[in-house]
Amino acid sequence: MKVDRRPYRRESEDSRREALISATQSLVAEGGPRAATVRAIADRAGVTPGLIRHYFGSKDELSRAAYRQLMDGMTDKGSEALAELGAAAPARLAVFVAAALRPPVVDGAAVGLWAGYLHMVRADPGLQAAHEAGYLRYRDTLEGLIRDLARPDITPAQTRAEAIACNAVIDGLWLEGGVLPHLFTSGELVRIGLTSVGAILGVNLLNEQSFVPELSLASLG
Amino acid sequence: MKVDRRPYRRESEDSRREALISATQSLVAEGGPRAATVRAIADRAGVTPGLIRHYFGSKDELSRAAYRQLMDGMTDKGSEALAELGAAAPARLAVFVAAALRPPVVDGAAVGLWAGYLHMVRADPGLQAAHEAGYLRYRDTLEGLIRDLARPDITPAQTRAEAIACNAVIDGLWLEGGVLPHLFTSGELVRIGLTSVGAILGVNLLNEQSFVPELSLASLG
DNA sequence: GGCCTTGTTATACACCTGCATAATCTGCCA
DNA sequence: TGGCAGATTATGCAGGTGTATAACAAGGCC
């Protein structure tokens, strides 16, 4: 009594790694990290479990790769939204903030993955350095946008403190929006984010909505 | 060949529940949720695994209880600091915010524990309900303190949005302070928190420092 | 064509997981 | 002083986990 054997299919290394990482992320997104077993991952990637060990030394290493890809994607989202427009400083800041507070950045799966690896980040110095670099890269971008506002009589130290505060607001909103999406109406996170960042900096960012196509009035709750 | 039997020791129900919850929390904080197996929990609590089922119906229920206690404990820290003084509304708000932004609330282990659970929150509806309840309890307390400021011409909807924003600032600062403590000088988190919450609400909270003994100038960086 | 490297699959294994249940101990009350 | 109830321990079980290893397939190279 023979069970049918999976047809042998040879594919590129990039394609296989991508499929495995993608399968890991989607499984964690749906059923939490406990659902992301080697067998489930391999099954979804259309592959047998052995390949995980072949491409990544172990399941943990695959998980780490998935985490790294998640972080890279999130930090890039804001910059991408920025690159397209050369508008005035307040509008650029508004775009950057808004990008972090709506899908695909605000996402339960992203929060879940991020939180799941937080303790590993605390334990592993290498990952901690990477995490810190990512955090500072984001905050520095924010600080640059704040500096570009060219408000008079603002010291560098104050700009730094403001960047920390704005970053915290964004982080907090991103977090709760991802974990408890049903508590916030559509567009509410963006509106609250722009309002409070504006309040912290003493500028009005809500009027900058018109500069952002995706942030039309219709998309606000 | 008989293995030695654990000595029978009878203890109060409260003591046993407390020991099991405490063991669960420390294990999750150290090694993430995966480390908190029934056997490891029972071992650390000085008990056999069967007791978990005896006092809590299942391991999941124990996890939920441990998470609930964590969330409640964080809110309680603020309320405790509040209970002692019957000062004016701005001072009370300042005390509440400051309590969340310094040890023992700001703590790497606490963040690790919280993150470990957040991982599970997404998968388990029961834990999600616990998280939502804890989050709302804290935010409602904050909203009450904001309302007590009795500023003129503030709608309930605006108060709600402000509470969400202030909660986000506190969450973000608490998080980053716990994960990357070396990036912030002592007292910086408290100062930034009071400044930005004040900016969001249009009040000055920094002057309220004098009302808080532990928040003397000496403790600020 | 024969061979060898390597991607891929299948199987085996040792361990661990949570849960159920039986066995045992102890304090309390009649 | 017995004995019962309930707290606590020990054992068993069915299933799942990650990983190691063997078997197989296919393409490149001489």
Side-chain angles (χ1 to χ4, degrees):
Chain A
M1 176 165 175
K2 260 193 180 174
V3 74
D4 32 20
R5 185 186 182 86
R6 174 185 296 275
Y8 188 97
R9 239 183 96 72
R10 211 184 181 94
E11 297 224 356
S12 76
E13 170 167 347
D14 284 354
S15 153
R16 282 275 128 103
R17 297 182 84 95
E18 209 283 325
L20 285 170
I21 287 178
S22 170
T24 304
Q25 291 182 338
S26 68
L27 277 168
V28 171
E30 292 167 16
R34 299 188 67 148
T37 70
V38 283
R39 287 167 178 81
I41 293 170
D43 193 47
R44 178 158 303 193
V47 138
T48 48
L51 268 202
I52 289 177
R53 178 173 155 75
H54 186 258
Y55 280 114
F56 307 86
S58 68
K59 187 207 168 186
D60 281 350
E61 198 170 326
L62 166 58
S63 300
R64 251 174 261 138
Y67 171 70
R68 251 180 258 119
Q69 178 172 302
L70 164 80
M71 294 299 283
D72 288 351
M74 292 198 353
T75 50
D76 289 344
K77 279 293 187 305
S79 305
E80 283 171 15
L82 227 51
E84 300 167 359
L85 89 173
R92 292 173 63 83
L93 177 58
V95 166
F96 191 76
V97 171
L101 294 179
R102 66 172 151 233
V105 179
V106 168
D107 174 39
V111 174
L113 260 185
W114 171 84
Y117 285 97
L118 209 51
H119 77 81
M120 194 180 289
V121 165
R122 293 195 336 114
D124 182 355
L127 270 184
Q128 182 167 7
H131 185 83
E132 179 174 332
Y135 165 75
L136 286 179
R137 180 175 156 223
Y138 190 90
R139 203 181 80 183
D140 286 348
T141 306
L142 203 53
E143 192 170 337
L145 289 170
I146 292 173
R147 201 180 303 112
D148 289 346
L149 293 176
R151 297 163 298 159
D153 302 330
I154 302 289
T155 67
Q158 184 172 347
T159 304
R160 173 177 182 271
E162 287 169 343
I164 293 174
C166 292
N167 191 57
V169 185
I170 295 169
D171 275 6
L173 290 175
W174 169 79
L175 198 58
E176 298 301 347
V179 178
L180 302 171
H182 60 285
L183 286 188
F184 309 95
T185 66
S186 162
E188 189 175 25
L189 285 181
V190 172
R191 203 186 327 122
I192 293 178
L194 290 175
T195 303
S196 40
V197 166
I200 290 172
L201 302 177
V203 300
N204 190 338
L205 294 182
L206 272 183
N207 288 342
E208 308 296 339
Q209 289 174 18
S210 52
F211 289 96
V212 190
E214 313 97 305
L215 196 57
S216 68
L217 288 175
S219 74
L220 295 175
Chain B
M1 174 163 176
K2 261 193 178 173
V3 75
D4 33 20
R5 185 186 182 88
R6 173 187 296 276
Y8 188 97
R9 236 183 98 72
R10 210 185 182 95
E11 298 225 357
S12 76
E13 171 167 347
D14 284 354
S15 152
R16 282 275 129 99
R17 296 182 85 97
E18 209 284 325
L20 285 170
I21 287 179
S22 170
T24 304
Q25 290 184 339
S26 66
L27 279 167
V28 172
E30 290 168 17
R34 300 185 61 156
T37 70
V38 283
R39 287 167 178 80
I41 293 170
D43 193 47
R44 179 160 302 196
V47 139
T48 47
L51 269 201
I52 289 177
R53 178 174 155 72
H54 186 259
Y55 280 113
F56 307 87
S58 68
K59 185 208 169 184
D60 282 350
E61 199 171 325
L62 167 58
S63 299
R64 259 173 248 137
Y67 186 65
R68 245 181 264 122
Q69 179 172 301
L70 167 74
M71 299 279 296
D72 286 352
M74 308 216 331
T75 306
D76 289 346
K77 282 289 189 308
S79 303
E80 283 170 15
L82 227 53
E84 300 166 0
L85 89 174
R92 292 173 62 83
L93 177 58
V95 166
F96 190 76
V97 171
L101 295 180
R102 67 173 149 231
V105 179
V106 168
D107 173 41
V111 173
L113 172 59
W114 171 85
Y117 275 120
L118 200 57
H119 213 159
M120 290 190 281
V121 164
R122 292 186 12 80
D124 180 353
L127 268 183
Q128 186 163 4
H131 173 82
E132 180 171 333
Y135 166 75
L136 286 179
R137 179 166 165 241
Y138 189 89
R139 203 181 80 185
D140 287 347
T141 306
L142 203 52
E143 191 170 336
L145 289 170
I146 293 174
R147 200 179 304 111
D148 289 346
L149 292 177
R151 297 163 298 161
D153 302 329
I154 301 291
T155 68
Q158 184 173 347
T159 304
R160 173 177 182 271
E162 288 168 342
I164 293 174
C166 291
N167 190 61
V169 185
I170 295 170
D171 275 6
L173 289 176
W174 169 79
L175 196 60
E176 288 141 19
V179 178
L180 303 170
H182 59 285
L183 287 188
F184 309 95
T185 66
S186 162
E188 189 175 25
L189 287 179
V190 172
R191 203 185 327 123
I192 293 178
L194 290 174
T195 304
S196 40
V197 166
I200 291 172
L201 301 177
V203 297
N204 190 337
L205 294 182
L206 272 183
N207 288 342
E208 307 297 338
Q209 286 175 21
S210 51
F211 289 97
V212 191
E214 312 97 307
L215 198 56
S216 66
L217 287 175
S219 74
L220 295 175

